[in-house]
Amino acid sequence: MILGYVKAFLIGAVLCMIGQVLIDKTKLTPARILTLYVVAGVVLGAVGIYEPFAKWAGAGATVPLTGFGNLLAKGVHDAVAEKGVLGAFTGGFTAGAAGICAAIFFGLLVAMCFKSKDKQ
């Protein structure tokens, strides 16, 4: 069990380290790097590489944005198999709905608990 936690931590750390190196060594903005991570997750999920990697790495691979991209690719794949071409437009929304709703809910909860201040 402890090895699983260590592996997830290290994989997540490597993904974050790659992002930090991209920020430091390239002229890419953080927004473009985040988009790159999501697209990489979609592409790796679409070709079938990300799923075995995520099973091996655990939360270290499913929690970062690459995992979100993989979730979108998997949702679209399943929806296309079930609904045809229409699934290409609805699958990503259906697959990502729970995570997005949770992020919005917890963001609202934190915003209600704390008072924001202007940055000075």
Side-chain angles (χ1 to χ4, degrees):
M1 185 167 102
I2 298 294
L3 181 62
Y5 292 137
V6 170
K7 188 175 9 175
F9 176 79
L10 291 176
I11 295 299
V14 167
L15 289 172
C16 291
M17 182 185 68
I18 292 168
Q20 189 63 49
V21 168
L22 288 172
I23 289 172
D24 292 343
K25 301 293 182 185
T26 68
K27 293 186 184 222
L28 291 173
T29 63
R32 289 184 179 176
I33 293 169
L34 295 175
T35 304
L36 178 71
Y37 269 43
V38 173
V39 171
V42 169
V43 170
L44 292 173
V47 297
I49 296 172
Y50 203 83
E51 192 67 32
F53 172 66
K55 285 182 182 177
W56 176 78
T62 58
V63 172
L65 285 173
T66 51
F68 179 67
N70 178 53
L71 177 72
L72 293 177
K74 186 176 177 184
V76 168
H77 178 269
D78 294 345
V80 166
E82 182 181 326
K83 299 176 184 175
V85 176
L86 184 61
F89 300 105
T90 62
F93 293 116
T94 305
I100 293 170
C101 287
I104 291 170
F105 172 75
F106 289 115
L108 177 65
L109 188 66
V110 168
M112 290 173 31
C113 293
F114 298 98
K115 186 175 181 178
S116 64
K117 296 178 185 174
D118 289 336
K119 219 175 185 181
Q120 290 184 9

